[in-house]
Amino acid sequence: YRASGDIRRVVVRGSGSRYEAIDNLSFGLDPTPPEVEIDWPLPGTCISDTISIEGRVCDPDGEYDRDRLEYRRIHPDPDDDWVLIREFINQPVCSASPNLYTWDTTASTDIKDGIYLLRVTAENGCGLVTSKEVMVYVSNNFNTVDIQSPQSKSIVGGEICLEGTVYDWNCFDRYTAEYRAGGAPFWSPVDPGTTYDTTKTNEPFAYWTASAGLPDGIYEFRVTGYTDTGKTLPKTRKIILDNTPPTGIIDSPKSCTDPGEIVTIKGTVSDDNLREWRLDFWNPDTKSWSLIKSSKDPVIKDVLATWNRGSGEDCPDVIRLRVWDEARVNACSTSLFGDDRHS
């Protein structure tokens, strides 16, 4: 306290007794604590890098002593000590200031992304203390961009499904999905006009609808997550775009001709990304398709297989040629193309 004024001692005497009284005791006492206001950040604000704390610290009717700014992370241990950021001695700020304090959230490796309390404490000359706290999210990094499909160097075509996780636990703003031809300088959105403003976890997060009209070749796509504080996390993938179906043609025998018992089947099987082909005949005994030959090698206007069909009437048999390529098309399904012929 601050002492001032007068102290007067009054003694009252009476018969048979004596007592003393003190009256008119006056001090320069300050019964009110200092004032603290935090105007920004607001509770729940996402922050990054260096921020300014807006507000004021003051004791309008007394002697001001000091104030300080501290932080403490919430989740790891509620009993963690407060960490001092800055302290000022006898420097009250009685009008709202946009720069009451600054806090560099990158100044220490101990400051991880997470939930923190900021506390401003002011103390006056009488030892009275006022504190105000505000909860904030420190977000110097976007948490997760995980592209699960398509994998790097995958062969894809048609409408391509991008699957995985795009997530930030407290400060998510949006993400973008873009593509470009290999080596091109500019990126284009995979789905123009679409805004991605919700997090995705182990699920489709974009569809590359433009891919169906593009020439085959090597492409890159990029997924970038953005926080409320402007932090980004880009992830890229290089893929092979294949919108061309494989070729499967039976040149001979011609339909409804009698090729005899031993049939030489000629034709073409080709694709830049050929996976396999299969030549079958319809088996009337089992009422199912039976294998004549399968292979992973291309054939260009040459013999596909020699088939012993045995004796039989004209046109009793049906043969089928199916060709697969390596491309995954239309919402991540495997493409299947073929040319079915019969004789």
Side-chain angles (χ1 to χ4, degrees):
Y1 63 86
R2 299 191 317 276
S4 66
D6 299 325
I7 299 177
R8 182 172 60 186
R9 182 172 182 269
V10 179
V11 178
V12 179
R13 299 179 182 274
S15 61
S17 65
R18 175 179 176 179
Y19 68 90
E20 298 180 357
I22 298 178
D23 195 9
N24 292 340
L25 183 62
S26 177
F27 297 92
L29 181 65
D30 181 2
T32 58
E35 298 175 354
V36 174
E37 297 293 339
I38 302 176
D39 298 325
W40 196 91
L42 299 174
T45 298
C46 290
I47 63 174
S48 67
D49 299 320
T50 300
I51 66 163
S52 294
I53 287 79
E54 302 177 13
R56 66 187 188 93
V57 286
C58 187
D59 192 345
D61 59 356
E63 181 181 337
Y64 193 79
D65 184 19
R66 66 187 62 207
D67 58 84
R68 60 186 175 272
L69 174 68
E70 301 164 292
Y71 76 85
R72 187 181 74 185
R73 191 169 184 180
I74 290 181
H75 286 314
D77 186 346
D79 296 324
D80 281 351
D81 292 334
W82 290 91
V83 179
L84 179 66
I85 301 172
R86 184 72 187 272
E87 184 176 48
F88 291 98
I89 306 297
N90 197 25
Q91 297 184 48
V93 179
C94 292
S95 298
S97 170
N99 293 293
L100 188 64
Y101 299 97
T102 59
W103 181 30
D104 183 358
T105 63
T106 65
S108 170
T109 57
D110 293 334
I111 305 175
K112 312 293 186 182
D113 284 6
I115 306 175
Y116 288 79
L117 285 175
L118 283 176
R119 182 173 70 178
V120 176
T121 302
E123 184 175 347
N124 67 11
C126 292
L128 299 178
V129 176
T130 299
S131 293
K132 290 288 181 70
E133 297 176 2
V134 62
M135 185 271 290
V136 296
Y137 300 109
V138 173
S139 178
N140 283 310
N141 305 277
F142 190 92
N143 289 134
T144 303
V145 175
D146 179 24
I147 303 171
Q148 298 167 4
S149 178
Q151 292 295 312
S152 181
K153 300 181 181 179
S154 294
I155 302 171
V156 294
E159 182 184 58
I160 299 168
C161 165
L162 308 183
E163 295 180 283
T165 296
V166 186
Y167 178 79
D168 190 87
W169 66 300
N170 276 315
C171 299
F172 177 84
D173 181 37
R174 69 190 191 282
Y175 65 91
T176 58
E178 305 163 294
Y179 76 93
R180 69 180 180 183
F186 303 111
W187 296 89
S188 300
V190 299
D191 194 1
T194 300
T195 300
Y196 305 106
D197 55 8
T198 57
T199 61
K200 300 292 182 179
T201 303
N202 298 325
E203 59 184 308
F205 56 78
Y207 291 91
W208 188 5
T209 55
S211 63
L214 295 174
D216 294 352
I218 297 175
Y219 287 80
E220 291 178 290
F221 64 86
R222 179 177 67 183
V223 180
T224 306
Y226 294 80
T227 68
D228 289 333
T229 61
K231 298 300 181 180
T232 64
L233 178 60
K235 290 291 182 68
T236 61
R237 278 285 165 79
K238 184 175 291 187
I239 54 91
I240 299 170
L241 186 62
D242 181 2
N243 282 315
T244 303
T247 299
I249 299 172
I250 298 175
D251 292 321
S252 67
K254 300 298 184 182
S255 296
C256 291
T257 59
D258 184 2
E261 293 184 15
I262 306 300
V263 183
T264 299
I265 304 170
K266 294 183 177 182
T268 296
V269 173
S270 67
D271 190 88
D272 287 342
N273 300 297
L274 181 66
R275 179 158 63 99
E276 63 177 313
W277 56 271
R278 180 183 176 106
L279 188 62
D280 301 293
F281 75 95
W282 179 255
N283 189 329
D285 296 330
T286 62
K287 293 182 172 53
S288 63
W289 292 99
S290 296
L291 178 66
I292 298 173
K293 183 179 179 180
S294 66
S295 176
K296 297 182 179 180
D297 298 323
V299 177
I300 308 297
K301 293 186 178 296
D302 206 342
V303 176
L304 297 170
T306 300
W307 172 43
N308 186 349
R309 61 184 286 265
S311 60
E313 299 177 358
D314 291 342
C315 292
D317 300 312
V318 178
I319 59 176
R320 179 181 70 176
L321 174 62
R322 291 186 296 170
V323 185
W324 290 265
D325 68 8
E326 295 285 359
R328 294 176 62 82
V329 300
N330 298 332
C332 308
S333 64
T334 300
S335 62
L336 169 63
F337 301 94
D339 185 345
D340 291 347
R341 303 293 293 271
H342 67 277
S343 64

